[in-house]
Amino acid sequence: MDVPFLVPDEADGWSARIANRARHGWLVLRRHRIILFVTMALCLLAGTLSILMSTPDYRATASVEVEDVPAGAAGAGAAAQRSSAPGDTESMMQTELEVLRSHALAEDVARDLALVGTPTFFDGMGVPRPKEGVGSLSQRQVEQDLVVRLLRDNLEVELPGKSRVLRISFVSADPVLSARVANSYADSLIRADLRRGFESGVQARRFLLGELDSARKDLGRAERDMAVYAARVGGQSPDGERQGGSTAPDGSVAARLAQLNAFRAQAVSDRIAAQKRWESARRASVDTLPEVLGNGAMQQIMADRAQARAAIAEERQFRKDAHPEMREARAKLAALDDQADGMANAIRASMREQYDVAVRGEQQIAREIADLEQQARVEQGRDVQLGIMERSVDTYRMLHDSLLQRYRDMASQAGFQAGRIQPLDRAAVPTRPFSPRIGETLLLAALGGLALGLLLVTARHIFDDAVTSADTLAERIGLPLLGAVPVTGDNPQPAEIFTPIARSLLLASAGGLPRSILVTSAQEGEGKSLTLHALALALGRLGKSVLVIDADMRRPVQHRLFRLSPDRGISEVLTGQAKAPEVILDSGVPGISLLPCGAVPPNPSELLATSALDALLAAVGDSYDTLLIDAPPILGMGDAPLLAAKVQASLLVVEWGRNHHGGLRAAVDRLRRAGGGLIGAILTKQQGRAVEYDYHRGG
């Protein structure tokens, strides 16, 4: 095959073009480096925020091995030596993968770990637990569907290469939960395979043996519980015999309750009678109580007291009260009164005591009845609990006997086989989260930010048509660049920067420096007035006499730049109120004079359209080397085209990076249609180093 041969000149040309393009690309990147850096910084910030806001996820992995034939089966060794067809193996492994992803296996895992109704699972998955049902589904059904969906969505199954090993991984925010679910999936897969080959493997017998052992433990626990309960309550033993000889026979509690109820009725009757007697004794006088009147001792005392009173009455007829016998008789009567009162009070206290005894007797009977009722309820509950325990023991015994018989039947079968799926590795609790991966995330964010930044820089370079260099001026509007000046804000431009531009103006026409130059811009705020002021100073340094005419009668600023305060100006000259020599001022700079604006007219365009402007330019033109006229912006106003038609040359001031070729071309076309001769443009407010812009958009 012939290899094209490049002569040295062609090779140098290719190298130069590649170097130029590389240099151009590097300059574009440097120019827009802020976009690139900001984009990368934002992407890194977004990646950092994503890392900080994301919940750490833990992945636990268990593995199982899938064999062609169940381990331990008859002829398994010979079968293992004969490798199955690749298609069969692949089909078998895909089948196991689909079993792992199935809805039924997820439900088995949920049942095995009791995930439905467990708030820990939902916390580990970062999902709120359902609080109510949806439609015809209950809250538990909705929760079960959500658990199954979360299990299937966060399950990762991997088949490494062409091996027979299945890697089962589960991802959650809880490392313990991830390990439990991964192991449960492996166990459920093994159990599913065992259920499919329950009668053909050793693993199935081990599974049944484990169930039998669990049933045996349950039966033993149930029997122990019933025996302990029967011994504690004095009930029946497991064989049905009554424990504790002190317990009353069946029916004794009911008979005792009937007897006590009869006693309680009698006690209530006695208490009511005693209460009535006591209430009568408490309200009535002691002397009128039947119990007092019917008492023999009390009757004797009352008879003696009556005789004593009669004796006192009889003695009072013959003796005074101070007589010794009278005092003795009264003392005897007082003693009888005291004896009668004491006897009456004793009889009343006896009646009170009888009432209290009746009340206590009634309460005692009531307490004994309550105790018997409680004992009856306890005996009834004890019998019910013993019956429940006996049925539980019978159930466990039946289950144990059934499993034992099944185990014996399976053990006696020939060719008993285990399942094809064998556990390989159990899932350990992960110690570190696998997500978010800080290094990879930040690297991807940095690369993404770099790619996005390069894309934005490229798009800006392609679609940004702002004027930033001589190439863009020539490409967009066909104007030569006379010079570029840096950003200086609102301060006057240094004259030394404009010296090269002033020298270029000396060669702007065949006759040298144009006699009149209009300085304008496409839009306001581009620095045309500052540029004209600095250009006048530069021409003055070159020994030229310059008249600065402030024809921007909308926003005149030249008098402020020269630090003058004129009363009259060009507006008075155009209206005939003054002559030009009368209003021209010495600027204080050698070779430079100023014709200020004067009063601001209401409609400057009407003044500029009159012949008075031609007469003014003709009158002052011969006295100076050039006239620098400050004009309003072109777009939106009609002053600049009127002035451009009356001057020899026009100079356009363009702000760096602000003017786009559409508006700038419209401004240039408007000047040219007015008859003004454009000699070039000055680029103001340049940013960066000039070398960066010399080749901007260069081909």
Side-chain angles (χ1 to χ4, degrees):
M1 182 176 180
D2 296 335
V3 178
F5 176 75
L6 295 178
V7 297
D9 292 340
E10 293 179 352
D12 292 342
W14 275 102
S15 300
R17 281 193 290 273
I18 293 174
N20 287 335
R21 290 188 178 275
R23 177 182 175 84
H24 173 67
W26 172 248
L27 291 176
V28 170
L29 287 178
R30 288 193 60 188
R31 185 178 304 112
H32 301 295
R33 59 185 178 273
I34 295 179
I35 296 177
L36 185 62
F37 293 155
V38 169
T39 304
M40 292 184 64
L42 290 177
C43 289
L44 285 174
L45 179 60
T48 304
L49 291 177
S50 175
I51 293 172
L52 295 177
M53 296 178 64
S54 61
T55 303
D57 291 330
Y58 295 85
R59 178 168 59 189
T61 303
S63 60
V64 295
E65 181 182 2
V66 182
E67 300 177 351
D68 285 337
V69 294
Q81 296 177 359
R82 301 190 300 269
S83 60
S84 59
D88 296 339
T89 302
E90 183 178 357
S91 176
M92 177 183 63
M93 299 305 293
Q94 290 297 326
T95 301
E96 298 301 334
L97 289 177
E98 293 302 323
V99 170
L100 278 171
R101 300 188 181 104
S102 65
H103 190 277
L105 197 64
E107 289 182 341
D108 191 16
V109 172
R111 284 192 302 270
D112 179 46
L113 299 179
L115 300 180
V116 179
T118 304
T120 307
F121 174 74
F122 294 96
D123 295 339
M125 301 306 298
V127 176
R129 182 182 177 186
K131 300 298 183 182
E132 57 185 10
V134 177
S136 60
L137 299 178
S138 64
Q139 185 270 343
R140 185 171 182 83
Q141 289 175 330
V142 173
E143 185 174 344
Q144 183 175 2
D145 292 342
L146 181 58
V147 168
V148 171
R149 185 166 67 253
L150 291 174
L151 288 175
R152 299 181 68 187
D153 292 343
N154 292 274
L155 176 67
E156 298 178 359
V157 184
E158 182 183 1
L159 181 61
K162 296 182 179 181
S163 65
R164 299 177 183 271
V165 176
L166 288 175
R167 293 179 181 173
I168 306 169
S169 303
F170 190 79
V171 179
S172 72
D174 187 353
V176 177
L177 177 63
S178 298
R180 289 182 60 207
V181 174
N183 288 327
S184 180
Y185 257 107
D187 295 340
S188 298
L189 182 64
I190 294 174
R191 286 196 299 267
D193 181 66
L194 290 176
R195 284 192 293 267
R196 293 193 300 266
F198 186 74
E199 297 179 353
S200 61
V202 176
Q203 189 66 29
R205 188 171 63 182
R206 293 176 181 173
F207 171 78
L208 187 58
L209 186 60
E211 295 294 325
L212 180 61
D213 184 65
S214 177
R216 183 183 299 110
K217 291 179 181 178
D218 293 338
L219 176 59
R221 184 178 64 255
E223 291 177 344
R224 285 193 303 271
D225 293 343
M226 189 177 71
V228 170
Y229 182 80
R232 186 175 69 249
V233 302
Q236 293 181 349
S237 62
D239 56 2
E241 296 180 357
R242 175 69 64 176
Q243 299 291 330
S246 61
T247 305
D250 294 339
S252 62
V253 175
R256 185 74 180 277
L257 279 174
Q259 183 181 6
L260 287 177
N261 284 327
F263 289 164
R264 181 166 63 177
Q266 182 63 38
V268 170
S269 177
D270 295 341
R271 190 263 305 166
I272 293 174
Q275 183 178 1
K276 288 181 178 180
R277 289 194 300 271
W278 161 243
E279 289 177 354
S280 298
R282 185 177 57 182
R283 290 194 299 267
S285 176
V286 176
D287 298 336
T288 61
L289 293 176
E291 289 79 4
V292 175
L293 296 177
N295 189 284
M298 189 65 183
Q299 291 178 358
Q300 182 63 39
I301 292 173
M302 292 178 67
D304 294 340
R305 187 171 59 178
Q307 291 177 2
R309 287 177 180 173
I312 291 173
E314 183 179 355
E315 291 293 335
R316 187 174 284 123
Q317 294 177 359
F318 304 102
R319 295 180 179 88
K320 293 182 179 181
D321 292 337
H323 192 273
E325 292 182 1
M326 286 295 292
R327 287 198 298 270
E328 182 181 357
R330 285 197 301 271
K332 183 179 179 179
L333 178 61
L336 290 173
D337 289 337
D338 293 336
Q339 189 177 0
D341 292 338
M343 182 67 70
N345 290 331
I347 293 173
R348 178 181 288 178
S350 175
M351 296 174 66
R352 170 69 183 187
E353 181 65 22
Q354 291 175 4
Y355 170 70
D356 292 338
V357 169
V359 170
R360 288 194 294 271
E362 180 185 1
Q363 293 176 349
Q364 179 66 27
I365 293 174
R367 284 195 295 271
E368 291 183 5
I369 291 175
D371 292 341
L372 282 176
E373 290 177 347
Q374 178 65 24
Q375 183 179 354
R377 287 193 293 270
V378 169
E379 288 183 357
Q380 184 179 5
R382 180 179 59 199
D383 294 337
V384 172
Q385 184 64 28
L386 282 174
I388 294 174
M389 288 186 170
E390 288 175 358
R391 289 192 296 272
S392 178
V393 169
D394 293 338
T395 302
Y396 282 125
R397 183 177 290 111
M398 291 176 59
L399 178 61
H400 174 268
D401 295 340
S402 176
L403 290 174
L404 181 59
Q405 184 62 36
R406 183 62 176 167
Y407 176 75
R408 290 171 178 172
D409 294 341
M410 293 181 61
S412 63
Q413 293 177 358
F416 187 79
Q417 297 178 350
R420 294 186 304 173
I421 301 177
Q422 302 297 322
L424 192 60
D425 291 325
R426 301 288 291 176
V429 177
T431 58
R432 293 184 302 175
F434 90 99
S435 175
R437 300 176 180 176
I438 299 177
E440 295 181 4
T441 302
L442 293 180
L443 179 60
L444 290 176
L447 294 178
L450 178 61
L452 182 60
L454 293 176
L455 182 62
L456 292 177
V457 168
T458 304
R460 181 175 176 84
H461 177 67
I462 293 175
F463 297 105
D464 184 15
D465 56 1
V467 175
T468 55
S469 68
D471 292 338
T472 53
L473 273 175
E475 177 185 352
R476 307 301 184 190
I477 58 177
L479 282 181
L481 179 65
L482 299 182
V485 293
V487 178
T488 59
D490 295 332
N491 300 320
Q493 301 280 4
E496 58 270 12
I497 299 178
F498 284 84
T499 300
I501 302 176
R503 294 185 184 278
S504 299
L505 291 178
L506 298 179
L507 306 175
S509 65
L513 181 66
R515 301 290 296 174
S516 58
I517 303 175
L518 179 71
V519 180
T520 184
S521 62
Q523 307 176 58
E524 62 178 348
E526 298 191 55
K528 61 175 182 57
S529 298
L530 293 175
T531 299
L532 184 144
H533 177 266
L535 192 58
L537 296 180
L539 288 173
R541 288 189 175 187
L542 294 178
K544 301 296 181 180
S545 59
V546 181
L547 175 62
V548 176
I549 301 176
D550 194 352
D552 189 352
M553 290 184 285
R554 301 178 186 272
R555 288 185 180 179
V557 297
Q558 291 298 331
H559 63 283
R560 290 201 299 270
L561 295 177
F562 284 103
R563 300 181 180 179
L564 299 175
S565 301
D567 297 330
R568 298 182 297 172
I570 187 175
S571 58
E572 284 76 13
V573 174
L574 296 180
T575 56
Q577 301 178 27
K579 301 295 184 181
E582 298 175 357
V583 298
I584 294 177
L585 303 176
D586 185 6
S587 66
V589 179
I592 301 176
S593 301
L594 173 64
L595 178 56
C597 171
V600 177
N603 193 350
S605 298
E606 294 181 358
L607 293 181
L608 297 177
T610 62
S611 58
L613 179 60
D614 297 329
L616 172 62
L617 296 178
V620 300
D622 295 335
S623 302
Y624 300 93
D625 293 330
T626 185
L627 306 177
L628 291 182
I629 303 173
D630 189 358
I634 302 172
L635 299 179
M637 302 177 188
D639 301 1
L642 292 175
L643 291 170
K646 303 179 183 299
V647 298
Q648 183 179 355
S650 297
L651 183 61
L652 188 64
V653 175
V654 180
E655 182 179 347
W656 183 93
R658 176 182 177 185
N659 285 282
H660 298 272
H661 73 276
L664 197 59
R665 184 182 296 113
V668 172
D669 291 343
R670 191 173 182 186
L671 275 183
R672 286 174 175 167
R673 285 197 303 271
L678 277 170
I679 58 175
I682 298 177
L683 196 61
T684 60
K685 303 180 183 180
Q686 179 185 6
Q687 300 178 12
R689 298 188 303 176
V691 69
E692 294 181 14
Y693 304 98
D694 290 343
Y695 297 95
H696 182 43
R697 303 182 184 277

